[in-house]
Amino acid sequence: MTASTSDELVLPAETTGSGSVVALTGVSRWYGNVVAVNDVTLTVGPGVTGLLGPNGAGKTTLLHMMAGFLDPSQGTVLVGGRPSWRNPDVYATLGLVTERESVPSYLTGWQFVHASAKLHRLADPAAAARAALATVELGDAQHRRIATYSKGMRQRARVAAALVHEPAVLLLDEPFNGMDPRQRMHMMDLLHRMAGEGRTILFSSHILEEVEQLSGTVQVMVAGRLAASGDYRHIRRLMTNRPHVFAIQSSNDRRLASVLMTDESVSGVELGANGLQVRANDFGAFTRGIAKIARTEGIRLTGVTPSDEALENVFSYLVAQ
Amino acid sequence: MPEHGDASGVIHDIGYQRYDGPRLGRRYMARSLYVHGLRTAFGFGRSARTKILPVGLFAVVCVAALVLVVISTQLPQPVLSYIGIATTFATVAALFVAIVGPELVSRDLRNNLLPLYFSRPVTRTDYALTKLAALATAVFAVFAAPMLIMFLGLALSAPHGIGGVLDEAGKFLVGLLAAAIGAVLFTAIAVPLAALTGRRVFATGMIIALFLLTAPITAVLGAIGSGSLAQLAGLVNPVSLLSGVYMWLFGDGGVDVGAYGPVYGLVVLAVAAAGISLSILRFRRVRA
Amino acid sequence: MNLTIAGMSLRALLGRRRALLLLPMPVLLIGLTLIARLTGAGIGDWGPVVFAQLGLGVILPLTALIVGSSVLGLEIEDGTITHILAKPLPRSEIILAKLAVAWAVTTVATAIPLAVAGVIAGSGALALGVGVGAAVGALAYSAAFLALSLLTRRPVGVGLLYILLWENLLVRFVGGAKVLSVREYSTVLARAISGSTALPAADLPTVAAVLLAAAFVVGGTALATSRLRSFALTGETS
């Protein structure tokens, strides 16, 4: 659960020996000119971790790389100390639930999970399948064809197939997509229980509230970069409380500067050759107030530009904390 | 919206205007669909990759026609008559229709565009007919372009002046009629098949399979039958069906149909009618 | 060979509407043979057309294409392949199971009807010859199309190009192209076993045909296994 800058390629001590740690080091993935994942270094240990980010952030790409379904263009991906790419043995301790709702709909729930157990070469596939189906509470419907299942039931069937071999690491890609609140609650309970058994659970989501309810630890991805890691509440505070920087040109810079310093929403003013650089703590109050202030003082504003909306500044600010 | 004591919800008038101007009619719609279909057939308005096959096939027949013209002008008799061009290039036309037909029809099915089309004033019949017309025009071009090249080549080197040119023009027009028959027949076969599936590859495969599977049947029936059976054998395969009709109408098809020429003509009419009706019916069934 | 995967593949293949496409062609073949037999024409007249052109030349490749490109291709398309790949199974085991299913279904749908047609035509040797030739051809085609389904997103399109342009068109103009034509291998083998005039005379020596067919099988299987090992899930959202 630590994020490092690209200069430090240090493998945390937990990666050696423990079968339930996923460690990424300097991982990048590009398709031609498009960079989907940009230099991500993180470690995921036991417990529930949320991978948070907007659509297109690279969450699925990252998950696929962790699960051995995509090779990193750069960097290393280790699951329990072993690489996951081109290594089918890693699946003995890894389970994956993909985002696509793909299930062989002509099978019954039982047949599907039982086949999964057999393919894992378990000693008693039938017992394992029964246990998995009981865990996801599909016992009643197990002998119906999956084609007759609701969306939530299909999802649960896929989760059952993914945990039938009791994996140490479980990766879920947007598991709550399209689930109603009750199903979501059930799934969250399940994941909590599994995490309590010492497993590593990583799930991705683009909905803040889902992550909030389920895990304390998050990894935030934006545009392929790891923007933040760690405790969710801390990061949230950081994101709303960071000061915003504005570049302002006016008819009387110095006068404006002194008046702005008296305003509560402003935390700092710099007088420069090209106008003022104003740092505001309260984005909303400042933007609402600047026009009023200028009018009251009789100063004409010729330019107001937020100057640190660049993602770079957001990241560096977050990551530097 | 439930009414509160104070107006807590308002829909603002931001000047949204309904279009009240003139609306062009059905003919404009049909013409637009037709032109769009024609453009799609040759891949215009799309990426270069979709142009390769249709334009490539078109180019192949044109080049072949050029070669034929060059050879023909050296010989006293042209190598192939216009009807001969139609029968020889029928296989290429079959491949063309197998590739372009699904491009026109199956793509709309796959991308669920039909509800979009039919929630506008386009009638299902118009949609089906314009698709058929566009494909038929494209196939006609594939048949007719080599004929045109042949005509130009022969006309320019005609030995008897204007009379010769007019002579040639007459034969050319007859050739165009044959091309039209071929275009209609192949279109009527391809469109219903393509309308069965949204996947272009399967539609192409089905159309090709139809041509490929019926050819040996015709050959076998022709080989084992004697007399009537052999003469009727060509009815099964579209290419030989076409040749049979040409034989009946123009006396130049390369197959022996005996007295059964009219049967060939009837079958062509029947297939064309069936194909067109099936296409219309299939699109009528779409609930939008 | 992994029986679980084979069982699932078989069920997937035969349970869909696509399986119906496999029926009309054998029916056509047998029907045509019956008609030809009933008219009493000499088998040298219609035999080559029915057995070599229709049976080995069209029905066998098309059936093998439909089956071979679907057995893995369908799962890749709808995403269910992750359920098979996320298991600690050697990839060669998966490929062999798929190949076995593809070959079995293709053979049942082509070699058996061809053998039946041979019996109807009155020649046991012919039945054996086309049956074996079709079975060998089915194996070679299946391996090739299985590999194709992992190499390209449009295995049916490329397969059709191979069948139409290479095996049917090019071989007419460039005789050397027969060296890479599975249709040629099956025909040569069938003719060698049956010695029947119902099949065209061979251009390739029998041994060469068998070896080349084996090369197709081994090469296709190896290529498919190698591609499956590096199978990457791309093109997803977020």
Side-chain angles (χ1 to χ4, degrees), chain B:
Chain B
M1 245 181 168
E3 210 68 33
H4 292 283
D6 47 2
S8 52
V10 174
I11 295 179
H12 303 285
D13 179 10
I14 50 177
Y16 179 75
Q17 291 164 343
R18 294 208 58 197
Y19 179 71
D20 283 329
R23 287 177 193 259
L24 303 160
R26 185 176 163 191
R27 206 180 298 170
Y28 179 76
M29 271 194 296
R31 202 186 63 200
S32 306
L33 280 175
Y34 171 71
V35 170
H36 175 73
L38 209 46
R39 283 173 57 105
T40 309
F42 288 104
F44 296 144
R46 292 174 66 204
S47 71
R49 204 164 5 134
T50 53
K51 293 187 185 62
I52 296 179
L53 276 172
V55 175
L57 282 175
F58 186 75
V60 161
V61 292
C62 289
V63 167
L66 270 172
V67 170
L68 281 174
V69 163
V70 168
I71 300 178
S72 293
T73 50
Q74 311 300 325
L75 299 174
Q77 279 272 43
V79 174
L80 274 183
S81 65
Y82 296 101
I83 311 289
I85 289 182
T87 47
T88 313
F89 290 157
T91 326
V92 181
L95 189 59
F96 183 84
V97 92
I99 292 173
V100 172
E103 201 68 36
L104 274 181
V105 178
S106 305
R107 251 187 352 130
D108 280 358
L109 284 171
R110 179 73 185 260
N111 297 332
N112 286 324
L113 290 181
L114 294 183
L116 285 179
Y117 275 113
F118 297 139
S119 59
R120 274 116 176 115
V122 180
T123 63
R124 289 157 170 68
T125 318
D126 280 352
Y127 177 82
L129 287 177
T130 50
K131 290 279 178 200
L132 287 161
L135 185 60
T137 313
V139 180
F140 178 73
V142 172
F143 273 122
M147 288 185 196
L148 181 65
I149 294 178
M150 188 71 143
F151 169 64
L152 288 175
L154 288 179
L156 287 175
S157 63
H160 302 300
I162 287 295
V165 173
L166 284 177
D167 217 16
E168 210 51 48
K171 293 190 210 157
F172 174 55
L173 286 175
V174 171
L176 286 185
L177 181 60
I181 299 176
V184 169
L185 179 66
F186 283 3
T187 304
I189 295 175
V191 172
L193 282 177
L196 284 176
T197 168
R199 295 194 183 199
R200 283 169 289 170
V201 198
F202 289 138
T204 301
M206 276 197 284
I207 300 173
I208 290 183
L210 183 83
F211 282 88
L212 272 185
L213 287 174
T214 49
I217 300 180
T218 303
V220 167
L221 291 179
I224 63 174
S226 49
S228 308
L229 191 57
Q231 288 168 344
L232 284 173
L235 288 175
V236 186
N237 175 264
V239 175
S240 51
L241 178 62
L242 207 56
S243 306
V245 169
Y246 292 161
M247 195 67 199
W248 172 52
L249 284 175
F250 314 117
D252 177 11
V255 291
D256 173 28
V257 294
Y260 294 106
V263 180
Y264 278 76
L266 264 171
V267 171
V268 167
L269 272 174
V271 170
I276 296 174
S277 329
L278 280 172
S279 309
I280 297 179
L281 276 173
R282 198 254 172 267
F283 288 118
R284 278 248 187 89
R285 268 184 23 187
V286 173
R287 273 178 287 273

Side-chain angles (χ1 to χ4, degrees), chain A residues 82-95:
Chain A
R82 298 174 296 172
S84 55
W85 175 245
R86 292 182 74 109
N87 182 14
D89 290 330
V90 79
Y91 297 114
T93 54
L94 179 70

Side-chain angles (χ1 to χ4, degrees), chain A residues 56 59-60 69 86 100 102 106, chain C residues 12 77-78 83 230 232-233 238:
Chain A
K59 305 192 296 293
T60 300
F69 278 109
R86 292 182 74 109
R100 266 184 92 173
S102 49
Y106 50 90
Chain C
E77 257 194 71
D78 63 17
H83 297 131
S230 328
L233 278 177
S238 83

Side-chain angles (χ1 to χ4, degrees), chain A residues 10-88:
Chain A
V10 175
L11 281 173
E14 307 106 76
T15 48
T16 52
S18 169
S20 63
V21 175
V22 180
L24 274 67
T25 318
V27 169
S28 297
R29 169 76 201 190
W30 53 78
Y31 301 99
N33 278 339
V34 179
V35 180
V37 173
N38 195 340
D39 196 30
V40 169
T41 301
L42 58 81
T43 317
V44 184
V48 183
T49 307
L51 185 60
L52 177 65
N55 283 330
K59 305 192 296 293
T60 300
T61 311
L62 200 69
L63 275 170
H64 283 168
M65 282 197 279
M66 288 183 193
F69 278 109
L70 196 57
D71 56 325
S73 309
Q74 206 177 64
T76 55
V77 178
L78 296 174
V79 175
R82 298 174 296 172
S84 55
W85 175 245
R86 292 182 74 109
N87 182 14

Side-chain angles (χ1 to χ4, degrees), chain A residues 121-189:
Chain A
R121 305 203 211 271
L122 299 177
D124 189 352
R130 268 193 297 269
L133 283 165
T135 312
V136 299
E137 297 178 14
L138 266 184
D140 295 334
Q142 59 183 298
H143 292 297
R144 277 177 20 211
R145 279 180 46 236
I146 295 184
T148 63
Y149 284 7
S150 70
K151 193 164 177 173
M153 291 165 77
R154 282 182 216 205
Q155 186 83 305
R156 280 186 283 157
R158 294 199 297 133
V159 173
L163 51 82
V164 70
H165 59 298
E166 313 238 325
V169 179
L170 187 61
L171 305 171
L172 304 111
D173 197 349
E174 310 233 358
F176 305 112
N177 248 355
M179 280 196 163
D180 66 44
R182 197 169 139 271
Q183 291 165 346
R184 208 179 308 172
M185 212 175 58
H186 276 152
M187 182 70 78
M188 288 191 183
D189 284 341

Side-chain angles (χ1 to χ4, degrees), chain A residues 31 55-56 58-60 64 69-70 85-86 88 91 99-100 102-104 106 111-112 115-116 119-121 174, chain C residues 2 5 8 11-12 77-80 83 85-91 93 229-234 236-238:
Chain A
Y31 301 99
N55 283 330
K59 305 192 296 293
T60 300
H64 283 168
F69 278 109
L70 196 57
W85 175 245
R86 292 182 74 109
Y91 297 114
E99 180 193 1
R100 266 184 92 173
S102 49
V103 237
Y106 50 90
Q111 286 166 346
F112 177 51
S116 180
L119 289 176
H120 272 293
R121 305 203 211 271
E174 310 233 358
Chain C
N2 196 306
I5 296 186
M8 277 173 64
R11 203 184 309 209
E77 257 194 71
D78 63 17
T80 46
H83 297 131
L85 287 183
K87 303 283 186 285
L89 296 170
R91 297 335 193 189
E93 202 175 298
R229 288 204 184 103
S230 328
F231 184 79
L233 278 177
T234 53
E236 298 279 358
T237 57
S238 83

Side-chain angles (χ1 to χ4, degrees), chain A residues 262-312:
Chain A
T262 63
D263 190 85
E264 269 180 19
S265 62
V266 172
S267 68
V269 178
E270 210 178 283
L271 196 54
N274 294 342
L276 297 176
Q277 287 258 12
V278 181
R279 271 212 298 290
N281 273 337
D282 192 342
F283 181 80
F286 178 77
T287 48
R288 281 190 296 271
I290 176 74
K292 225 181 295 180
I293 292 174
R295 193 163 13 106
T296 315
E297 298 298 321
I299 300 173
R300 189 155 42 124
L301 295 172
T302 52
V304 179
T305 322
S307 65
D308 76 334
E309 286 313 296
L311 235 34
E312 292 297 313

